[in-house]
Amino acid sequence: MDLATLLGLIITLGFILGAILAGGSILLFVNVPSLLIVLGGSVSVVLMQFTLSQFFGAFKVAMKAFFHKNVDASQLIEQAGMLANVARKEGMMALESQEIENPFLNKGIQLCVDGHPPDLVRKMLSKDISLTIQRHETGQKIFKALGDIAPAMGMIGTLIGLVQMLANMDDPKSIGPAMAVALLTTLYGAVVANAFALPISDKLELRSQEEKTNRSLILETISGIQEGMNPRVLEELLKAFLPENQRTSSDNEE
Amino acid sequence: MDLATLLGLIITLGFILGAILAGGSILLFVNVPSLLIVLGGSVSVVLMQFTLSQFFGAFKVAMKAFFHKNVDASQLIEQAGMLANVARKEGMMALESQEIENPFLNKGIQLCVDGHPPDLVRKMLSKDISLTIQRHETGQKIFKALGDIAPAMGMIGTLIGLVQMLANMDDPKSIGPAMAVALLTTLYGAVVANAFALPISDKLELRSQEEKTNRSLILETISGIQEGMNPRVLEELLKAFLPENQRTSSDNEE
Amino acid sequence: MDLATLLGLIITLGFILGAILAGGSILLFVNVPSLLIVLGGSVSVVLMQFTLSQFFGAFKVAMKAFFHKNVDASQLIEQAGMLANVARKEGMMALESQEIENPFLNKGIQLCVDGHPPDLVRKMLSKDISLTIQRHETGQKIFKALGDIAPAMGMIGTLIGLVQMLANMDDPKSIGPAMAVALLTTLYGAVVANAFALPISDKLELRSQEEKTNRSLILETISGIQEGMNPRVLEELLKAFLPENQRTSSDNEE
Amino acid sequence: MDLATLLGLIITLGFILGAILAGGSILLFVNVPSLLIVLGGSVSVVLMQFTLSQFFGAFKVAMKAFFHKNVDASQLIEQAGMLANVARKEGMMALESQEIENPFLNKGIQLCVDGHPPDLVRKMLSKDISLTIQRHETGQKIFKALGDIAPAMGMIGTLIGLVQMLANMDDPKSIGPAMAVALLTTLYGAVVANAFALPISDKLELRSQEEKTNRSLILETISGIQEGMNPRVLEELLKAFLPENQRTSSDNEE
Amino acid sequence: MDLATLLGLIITLGFILGAILAGGSILLFVNVPSLLIVLGGSVSVVLMQFTLSQFFGAFKVAMKAFFHKNVDASQLIEQAGMLANVARKEGMMALESQEIENPFLNKGIQLCVDGHPPDLVRKMLSKDISLTIQRHETGQKIFKALGDIAPAMGMIGTLIGLVQMLANMDDPKSIGPAMAVALLTTLYGAVVANAFALPISDKLELRSQEEKTNRSLILETISGIQEGMNPRVLEELLKAFLPENQRTSSDNEE
């Protein structure tokens, strides 16, 4: 399991908290109306940009950034070679009894077993990949939108505070603290965007690319099996999907 | 009906209003000349960038962001299977008597019934899709342009106010309130852009993409029918357009 | 004739002037050296980026944004059907005597009459379209460059003014007015960019796209005529270029 | 020879100098340590991003922006017609004795004379074009990088000056001049980027596009000659590369 | 070995240090909590966006920016000609005994020797290139992410400092130094981004492009050998990959 996102989030918040505590009390940095306008305002603007179901689906997607277990490409390649071997020796129908954990590979194998022509199988799987990626992008976009709007809502909050402060400058002593409060919304917006929403959006994009690479690998596997490709050649072809230092061949350049 | 945009807009404005009222009177934030330069100036700059008909068409388009009812893709797929069945059993001409609600699907079916060759039908529908998308983009672009210009007009208004204030600093007491008024235009610009124009532009882009996906699905349907594809295979192929959790097949990965 | 750009420009300047007059004398906002550095500096930087002939051609191009009369696509389609009819009944040579107002359509028809093979005609017209669009883009780019540089020159002017003010702060009374003058260049730069150069650049881009769509329509027409396409089918195909509410067919969705 | 870049640079610097002199002595604006951090720092950051040979080659490239003499496309077209004529009448070998000034055209003709098949010639010349353009882009990128980093180095310089000023505010009289000096680096950075590096980068991009268009024209010429195209048809085809007002045909639209 | 990056980094830091020392003590610019929030916070946000292995791999990648020795393209071309010669005269099997230093070229030659069909070899090598480039991009992206986040963390640090300062303005004398400290984080963020992370990211992108060009050259070599291309023709074709001034032919334009 990949803990980098969770770890990174905790450490980042720790550094920010440390900087706050090093300079005085944390109470200076808590202001409920400021929190409301930045968090509430940002979330409701994001709501405007998507449908309700996309919006609430984003939480499920965020979990993926924290706890996603990635598919092991080298394991997929090994299984591909095994399946190609079975198909070659015992025929396509023999694939039906194989246990396949990965659901996308399983779907592709089912299409082979059902006897659909290679062109159609390729078309169906390709369309599936591009539409799955498109749906994954919605999750990223929601966090990206949150990261884009949070600093803007922070600025709106600060402007509101400044206007109120400037209109009532009778007591010079209150100017400093009033401006401190006004700046808090800008700070909240910057933290929400830079330490939470944007990094998660970027992480989800990375996940999406990995998923795409894995599904392309599976697509190549299915095509190879249908063409009756030599299992050894197929494995060799698929190894291009691995980073060079994970390949078992002797060539270990970088 | 998708209420997320309307809901989001109301909640956002509520949060902003709340932040204003929490700090004093709302009257501090109302200034008619400031409103005029930001709203009037922004709208007239947008007018410069488009034709009159595009400009006034934008209102109709905006309504779509609030009240658009989306086409149900799974219903389209079901209908596609039914139509393919009819075409296969009773011939292409039998499609003429079918009731088809979706106008784009209807148009495609009419082209089949008229006996145009598959290549030409595909070409006509593809061109139709790309040009429809292009026209939809005009609506987005108008709101995007409004969202881009509003903060700039806000800054222009603030600069005008600052120059006037700086040139007349005889009464120190008036400096604060004058600057408060100068900042109002920046605030107006930020609210118009971030809480209204840009989210609506993004929502319209989302709508446009959904429309494109649905029309691609219909294009595949028409092609499949003309090629005399097996209805069951066609439905299977079209299911790739659905999110994985809405497919009726047994594979329910994500 | 499309008056939106001219109208928009006048109204925008009206709003800005209104905001200035509402707050005092317009004389506060006139400063010749500030005008010189923003306008002169911006124009000469734009000159650096282009050739002399492109630079002076930009004025002619700008007029197009204000007074361009667009080609009517539905008229073109009607004419296309008529020409296809003539070509079908009386042969390609009969097209020579047809009066064709649109110069690009005329050129295409001449190529047909001259008996060039369809592939070559398509290639020549396609190349013509892409190179014409490329040249049109130069006009846009000049106004885009002006819109990008004007705020930067405004900032340079303000920095110069600030340095001069800060170095001589003996008379506190002069600080305010000196800073007002320093801010003027920023204001000028923002107005030139946002209320003039950038909207015109965007308008020219829109024109360029319309031109491209029309020329693609003409290209399809010529290809259809050379292939001896049925005039009714050709018109149907070309109608995809029209917005859906302008098509005469019964399908009036949006 | 195209003098627009040189002319533009001189006029721009003149306007900036004028604004400085209009407000007082130029000595206020000269500060050697500020110059060092902005110029030295920016150049050394650019050095980090490229190799030494690319870095020093940039000077040669910059000269091109100032003094480049462009190839005359209409002359190339004329020569193309003449060469096609020779090839048609006297055979490909007769091209060997032709004097061809343009080195890229010369290279293409040599390949024809050597008897390479059209596919290979096209492939070689296409690859040559794309790789030449890629190398030209390095020059642009260096000036673009300089234009991106200069304002950032200016801001770093200003921050250093501000920190030093704020830490020693015992003498209120020194605050103004100290801040003036701190702002100088921001001014230097803005001038280097906006009045020098970025316009030159844009100019080089324009040059690169012209070069690409000319080489595409030559590629079409060579292909036409190898296909034994009619010289008159070839010239007609190549005229699409000319702006419409330079074509000798009767169609003079814009 | 290319020393530009290391050299540039040292000189840049020298200029910044010079500007600091010219204005007073360097101690004003050292503040441990400020360093912690900018460096620690930025690095942990970057950690959020990638996996642990990608994150720690970035150090290895950074070394490449400093010490990478580039492949010599003209040497590759020479070797390509030699290999094509061997293949032509002695057959494909004779290539097995050739010593080939470049691992990617070696892999391609092995595929030829193994007797895979040209299509498959091309597909395997192409996939290898695109996936290698994709992996190289991870390194760039990590430094790009660091360069994007560092100024944001600097701003967050400054906002925290400002809020603390504004809330406690009892002692006017402490305002200046407190603000100096608050600005330090912005300075740190700007230096980390502009003088370290972003230039390294750009340098790695350059490296990646060079690698891609070299691998494309090798791909062309393998294809040429498999097609039995004339060695002299192959070398001529490959020369397009060289800058024009490094080609041995007589055409030395630019």
Side-chain angles (χ1 to χ4, degrees):
Chain A
M1 202 171 77
D2 169 29
L3 286 170
T5 304
L6 194 60
L7 217 68
L9 180 59
I10 291 169
I11 299 176
T12 307
L13 295 180
F15 276 114
I16 293 174
L17 210 71
I20 287 175
L21 292 174
S25 160
I26 195 174
L27 289 177
L28 280 180
F29 291 87
V30 179
N31 184 282
V32 176
S34 300
L35 268 174
L36 279 179
I37 188 169
V38 175
L39 292 185
S42 299
V43 166
S44 52
V45 166
V46 172
L47 180 61
M48 285 179 75
Q49 301 176 34
F50 297 90
T51 64
L52 285 169
S53 64
Q54 288 173 328
F55 183 77
F56 290 111
F59 294 99
K60 209 177 100 191
V61 169
M63 285 304 98
K64 210 164 154 184
F66 290 113
F67 301 115
H68 180 76
K69 187 172 163 297
N70 205 27
V71 174
D72 183 349
S74 57
Q75 219 172 317
L76 276 180
I77 292 173
E78 206 178 302
Q79 195 168 24
M82 189 266 290
L83 291 169
N85 221 5
V86 170
R88 241 201 173 184
K89 285 191 189 143
E90 312 173 32
M92 213 63 101
M93 299 314 279
L95 291 171
E96 189 150 31
S97 57
Q98 297 295 319
E99 280 227 351
I100 301 162
E101 198 189 352
N102 185 295
F104 187 70
L105 179 54
N106 192 38
K107 176 178 177 178
I109 291 295
Q110 287 312 319
L111 291 172
C112 295
V113 170
D114 291 358
H116 293 302
D119 270 8
L120 185 69
V121 170
R122 195 169 188 96
K123 197 177 169 186
M124 286 171 78
L125 294 181
S126 300
K127 184 130 280 171
D128 202 322
I129 291 176
S130 69
L131 287 161
T132 300
I133 295 305
Q134 199 176 309
R135 278 189 301 268
H136 282 190
E137 280 173 357
T138 303
Q140 294 165 43
K141 277 185 189 166
I142 286 180
F143 283 93
K144 182 71 171 42
L146 186 60
D148 285 346
I149 195 66
M153 290 309 298
M155 196 188 77
I156 287 175
T158 296
L159 283 169
I160 290 175
L162 282 179
V163 169
Q164 289 169 341
M165 183 201 84
L166 288 164
N168 300 293
M169 299 212 304
D170 301 331
D171 176 12
K173 281 209 166 167
S174 72
I175 295 179
M179 199 155 164
V181 171
L183 280 183
L184 276 187
T185 55
T186 296
L187 176 61
Y188 292 161
V191 170
V192 168
N194 293 296
F196 178 73
L198 294 178
I200 288 188
S201 169
D202 284 342
K203 181 73 167 224
L204 290 173
E205 194 188 342
L206 189 80
R207 288 265 173 267
S208 189
Q209 278 185 1
E210 285 174 0
E211 184 79 19
K212 193 176 176 185
T213 304
N214 282 334
R215 294 203 169 201
S216 303
L217 187 158
I218 291 173
L219 181 58
E220 290 296 330
T221 304
I222 301 293
S223 293
I225 290 175
Q226 285 203 311
E227 290 167 18
M229 200 184 264
N230 181 317
R232 210 177 52 81
V233 174
L234 178 62
E235 276 192 61
E236 200 65 38
L237 175 62
L238 296 178
K239 265 179 198 156
F241 285 93
L242 292 178
E244 276 162 7
N245 55 10
Q246 290 180 26
R247 299 183 198 168
T248 47
S249 327
S250 57
D251 58 281
N252 50 2
E253 41 141 357
E254 167 57 15
Chain B
M1 202 171 77
D2 170 29
L3 286 170
T5 305
L6 193 61
L7 217 68
L9 180 59
I10 292 169
I11 300 175
T12 308
L13 294 180
F15 276 115
I16 294 175
L17 209 71
I20 287 175
L21 291 174
S25 160
I26 195 174
L27 289 177
L28 280 180
F29 290 87
V30 179
N31 184 283
V32 176
S34 301
L35 268 174
L36 279 179
I37 189 170
V38 174
L39 292 186
S42 300
V43 167
S44 52
V45 166
V46 172
L47 180 62
M48 285 179 76
Q49 302 176 32
F50 297 90
T51 64
L52 284 170
S53 65
Q54 288 172 329
F55 183 77
F56 290 111
F59 294 100
K60 210 177 98 191
V61 168
M63 285 303 98
K64 210 164 153 184
F66 290 112
F67 301 115
H68 180 76
K69 186 171 164 296
N70 204 25
V71 174
D72 182 350
S74 58
Q75 221 172 315
L76 275 180
I77 292 174
E78 208 177 300
Q79 196 168 23
M82 190 267 288
L83 290 170
N85 221 5
V86 170
R88 238 200 175 185
K89 286 190 188 143
E90 312 173 31
M92 214 63 100
M93 300 314 280
L95 291 173
E96 189 150 31
S97 56
Q98 297 294 319
E99 281 226 350
I100 300 162
E101 199 189 354
N102 186 296
F104 187 70
L105 178 55
N106 193 37
K107 177 177 177 179
I109 292 294
Q110 287 313 319
L111 291 172
C112 295
V113 170
D114 291 358
H116 293 302
D119 270 7
L120 184 70
V121 171
R122 196 170 187 95
K123 196 178 170 186
M124 286 171 77
L125 294 180
S126 300
K127 184 131 281 171
D128 203 323
I129 292 177
S130 69
L131 287 161
T132 301
I133 295 305
Q134 199 175 311
R135 278 189 300 267
H136 281 189
E137 280 173 356
T138 304
Q140 295 165 43
K141 277 185 189 165
I142 286 180
F143 283 93
K144 182 71 171 43
L146 186 61
D148 286 346
I149 194 66
M153 290 309 298
M155 197 189 76
I156 288 175
T158 296
L159 284 168
I160 291 175
L162 282 179
V163 168
Q164 288 168 340
M165 183 199 84
L166 288 164
N168 301 293
M169 299 212 304
D170 301 331
D171 176 12
K173 280 209 167 167
S174 72
I175 295 179
M179 198 155 166
V181 170
L183 280 182
L184 275 187
T185 55
T186 296
L187 176 60
Y188 292 161
V191 170
V192 168
N194 293 295
F196 178 73
L198 294 178
I200 287 188
S201 169
D202 285 342
K203 181 73 166 224
L204 290 173
E205 194 188 344
L206 189 80
R207 288 265 173 267
S208 189
Q209 278 185 1
E210 285 175 359
E211 184 79 17
K212 194 176 177 184
T213 304
N214 282 333
R215 295 203 168 200
S216 303
L217 188 159
I218 291 173
L219 180 56
E220 290 295 330
T221 303
I222 301 293
S223 294
I225 289 175
Q226 286 203 310
E227 291 168 16
M229 200 185 265
N230 182 316
R232 210 175 53 78
V233 173
L234 177 63
E235 277 191 60
E236 201 64 38
L237 175 62
L238 296 178
K239 266 179 198 156
F241 285 92
L242 292 178
E244 276 161 6
N245 55 10
Q246 289 180 27
R247 298 182 197 167
T248 47
S249 329
S250 56
D251 60 278
N252 50 3
E253 42 141 357
E254 166 54 17
Chain C
M1 201 171 78
D2 170 28
L3 286 169
T5 304
L6 193 61
L7 216 68
L9 180 59
I10 292 170
I11 300 176
T12 307
L13 295 180
F15 276 114
I16 293 174
L17 210 70
I20 287 175
L21 291 175
S25 160
I26 197 174
L27 289 177
L28 281 179
F29 291 86
V30 179
N31 184 283
V32 176
S34 301
L35 268 174
L36 279 179
I37 188 170
V38 174
L39 292 186
S42 300
V43 167
S44 52
V45 167
V46 172
L47 180 61
M48 286 179 75
Q49 302 175 32
F50 297 90
T51 64
L52 283 171
S53 65
Q54 287 173 328
F55 182 77
F56 289 111
F59 295 100
K60 208 177 100 189
V61 168
M63 286 301 99
K64 208 163 154 184
F66 290 113
F67 301 116
H68 180 76
K69 187 170 164 296
N70 204 25
V71 174
D72 183 350
S74 58
Q75 221 172 314
L76 275 180
I77 292 174
E78 209 178 299
Q79 196 168 25
M82 188 268 289
L83 290 170
N85 222 5
V86 169
R88 241 203 174 182
K89 287 192 187 140
E90 311 173 32
M92 215 62 100
M93 300 314 280
L95 290 173
E96 190 151 31
S97 57
Q98 298 294 319
E99 281 225 352
I100 300 163
E101 198 190 354
N102 186 295
F104 187 70
L105 178 55
N106 194 37
K107 178 178 177 179
I109 292 294
Q110 287 314 318
L111 291 172
C112 295
V113 171
D114 290 358
H116 293 302
D119 270 9
L120 184 70
V121 171
R122 195 171 188 95
K123 196 177 169 186
M124 286 171 77
L125 294 181
S126 300
K127 184 131 280 171
D128 202 322
I129 292 177
S130 69
L131 286 161
T132 301
I133 294 305
Q134 200 176 309
R135 278 188 300 266
H136 281 189
E137 280 173 357
T138 304
Q140 295 165 43
K141 277 185 189 165
I142 287 180
F143 283 93
K144 182 71 171 45
L146 186 60
D148 285 346
I149 194 66
M153 290 308 297
M155 197 188 77
I156 288 175
T158 295
L159 284 168
I160 291 175
L162 282 179
V163 168
Q164 289 168 339
M165 183 200 83
L166 287 164
N168 301 294
M169 298 212 305
D170 301 331
D171 176 12
K173 280 209 169 169
S174 72
I175 295 179
M179 197 155 166
V181 170
L183 280 182
L184 275 186
T185 54
T186 296
L187 177 61
Y188 293 161
V191 171
V192 168
N194 293 295
F196 178 72
L198 294 178
I200 287 187
S201 169
D202 284 342
K203 181 74 166 222
L204 290 173
E205 192 189 344
L206 189 80
R207 288 266 173 265
S208 189
Q209 278 184 1
E210 284 174 359
E211 185 78 18
K212 193 176 177 185
T213 304
N214 282 332
R215 295 204 167 198
S216 303
L217 188 159
I218 290 173
L219 181 56
E220 291 294 329
T221 303
I222 301 293
S223 294
I225 288 175
Q226 286 202 310
E227 291 167 16
M229 201 185 263
N230 182 315
R232 210 175 53 79
V233 173
L234 177 62
E235 277 191 61
E236 201 64 40
L237 175 61
L238 296 177
K239 266 179 197 154
F241 285 92
L242 291 179
E244 276 161 5
N245 56 9
Q246 288 181 27
R247 296 183 198 167
T248 48
S249 327
S250 55
D251 59 280
N252 50 2
E253 42 142 357
E254 166 55 15
Chain D
M1 201 171 77
D2 170 29
L3 286 168
T5 304
L6 193 60
L7 216 68
L9 181 59
I10 292 169
I11 300 176
T12 307
L13 295 180
F15 276 114
I16 293 174
L17 210 70
I20 287 175
L21 292 175
S25 161
I26 196 174
L27 290 176
L28 281 179
F29 291 85
V30 178
N31 184 283
V32 176
S34 301
L35 268 174
L36 279 179
I37 187 170
V38 174
L39 292 186
S42 299
V43 167
S44 52
V45 166
V46 172
L47 180 61
M48 284 180 77
Q49 302 176 31
F50 296 90
T51 64
L52 284 170
S53 65
Q54 287 173 328
F55 183 77
F56 290 110
F59 295 100
K60 209 177 100 190
V61 168
M63 286 302 99
K64 209 164 155 184
F66 290 112
F67 301 115
H68 180 77
K69 185 170 165 298
N70 205 26
V71 174
D72 183 350
S74 58
Q75 220 172 316
L76 276 179
I77 292 174
E78 208 177 300
Q79 196 168 24
M82 188 267 289
L83 292 170
N85 222 5
V86 170
R88 241 202 175 184
K89 286 192 187 140
E90 311 172 32
M92 214 63 100
M93 300 315 279
L95 291 172
E96 190 151 31
S97 57
Q98 298 294 319
E99 281 226 350
I100 300 163
E101 198 189 355
N102 185 296
F104 188 70
L105 178 55
N106 194 37
K107 177 178 177 180
I109 292 294
Q110 287 313 318
L111 291 172
C112 296
V113 171
D114 292 358
H116 293 303
D119 270 8
L120 185 70
V121 171
R122 196 171 186 94
K123 196 177 170 185
M124 286 170 78
L125 294 180
S126 301
K127 184 130 280 172
D128 202 322
I129 292 176
S130 69
L131 287 161
T132 301
I133 295 304
Q134 199 176 309
R135 279 189 300 268
H136 282 189
E137 281 173 356
T138 304
Q140 294 165 43
K141 277 185 189 165
I142 286 179
F143 283 93
K144 182 72 172 42
L146 185 60
D148 286 346
I149 194 66
M153 290 309 296
M155 195 189 76
I156 288 174
T158 296
L159 284 168
I160 291 174
L162 282 179
V163 168
Q164 289 169 339
M165 182 200 85
L166 287 164
N168 300 293
M169 298 211 305
D170 300 331
D171 175 12
K173 280 210 168 169
S174 72
I175 295 179
M179 198 156 165
V181 171
L183 280 182
L184 275 186
T185 55
T186 296
L187 177 61
Y188 292 161
V191 171
V192 168
N194 293 295
F196 178 73
L198 294 178
I200 288 188
S201 168
D202 285 342
K203 181 75 167 220
L204 290 173
E205 193 189 343
L206 189 80
R207 288 265 172 267
S208 189
Q209 278 184 1
E210 285 175 358
E211 184 79 18
K212 194 176 176 185
T213 304
N214 282 334
R215 295 204 168 198
S216 303
L217 189 159
I218 291 173
L219 180 57
E220 291 295 330
T221 303
I222 300 294
S223 294
I225 289 175
Q226 285 203 310
E227 290 166 17
M229 200 185 264
N230 182 317
R232 210 177 51 82
V233 174
L234 177 62
E235 276 192 60
E236 200 65 39
L237 175 62
L238 296 178
K239 266 180 198 155
F241 285 93
L242 291 179
E244 276 161 7
N245 55 10
Q246 289 181 27
R247 298 182 198 168
T248 46
S249 326
S250 56
D251 60 281
N252 50 4
E253 42 141 357
E254 167 55 17
Chain E
M1 202 172 76
D2 169 29
L3 285 170
T5 304
L6 194 59
L7 216 68
L9 180 59
I10 291 168
I11 300 176
T12 307
L13 294 180
F15 276 115
I16 293 174
L17 210 70
I20 286 174
L21 292 174
S25 161
I26 196 174
L27 288 177
L28 281 180
F29 291 86
V30 178
N31 184 283
V32 176
S34 300
L35 268 175
L36 279 179
I37 187 169
V38 174
L39 291 186
S42 299
V43 166
S44 52
V45 166
V46 172
L47 179 61
M48 284 180 76
Q49 302 175 32
F50 296 90
T51 64
L52 285 170
S53 65
Q54 287 173 329
F55 183 77
F56 290 110
F59 294 99
K60 209 178 99 191
V61 168
M63 286 303 98
K64 209 164 153 184
F66 290 113
F67 301 115
H68 180 76
K69 186 171 164 298
N70 205 26
V71 174
D72 182 350
S74 57
Q75 219 171 317
L76 276 179
I77 292 173
E78 207 177 301
Q79 195 168 24
M82 188 267 290
L83 291 169
N85 222 6
V86 169
R88 242 203 173 183
K89 286 191 189 143
E90 312 173 32
M92 213 63 101
M93 299 315 280
L95 291 172
E96 190 150 30
S97 57
Q98 297 295 318
E99 280 226 352
I100 300 163
E101 198 190 354
N102 184 296
F104 188 70
L105 178 55
N106 192 37
K107 177 177 177 180
I109 291 295
Q110 287 313 319
L111 290 171
C112 295
V113 171
D114 291 358
H116 294 302
D119 271 7
L120 185 70
V121 170
R122 196 171 187 95
K123 196 177 170 186
M124 285 171 78
L125 294 180
S126 300
K127 184 129 280 171
D128 202 323
I129 291 176
S130 69
L131 286 161
T132 301
I133 295 304
Q134 199 176 309
R135 278 189 301 269
H136 282 188
E137 280 173 357
T138 303
Q140 294 165 43
K141 278 185 189 165
I142 286 180
F143 283 92
K144 181 73 171 42
L146 186 61
D148 286 345
I149 194 66
M153 290 309 297
M155 196 189 76
I156 287 174
T158 296
L159 283 168
I160 291 174
L162 282 180
V163 168
Q164 289 169 339
M165 182 201 85
L166 288 164
N168 301 294
M169 298 211 306
D170 301 330
D171 176 12
K173 281 210 168 169
S174 72
I175 294 179
M179 199 154 163
V181 171
L183 280 183
L184 275 187
T185 55
T186 296
L187 177 60
Y188 292 161
V191 171
V192 168
N194 293 295
F196 177 73
L198 295 178
I200 288 188
S201 169
D202 285 341
K203 182 73 166 223
L204 290 173
E205 193 188 342
L206 190 79
R207 287 265 172 266
S208 188
Q209 278 184 1
E210 285 174 359
E211 183 79 19
K212 194 176 175 184
T213 304
N214 282 334
R215 295 204 168 198
S216 302
L217 189 158
I218 291 173
L219 180 57
E220 291 295 330
T221 304
I222 301 293
S223 293
I225 290 175
Q226 286 203 310
E227 290 167 18
M229 200 185 265
N230 182 318
R232 210 178 50 81
V233 173
L234 178 63
E235 276 193 60
E236 200 64 39
L237 176 61
L238 296 178
K239 266 179 199 156
F241 285 92
L242 291 178
E244 275 162 8
N245 55 10
Q246 290 181 27
R247 298 183 198 167
T248 47
S249 326
S250 57
D251 59 281
N252 50 3
E253 41 141 358
E254 168 59 14

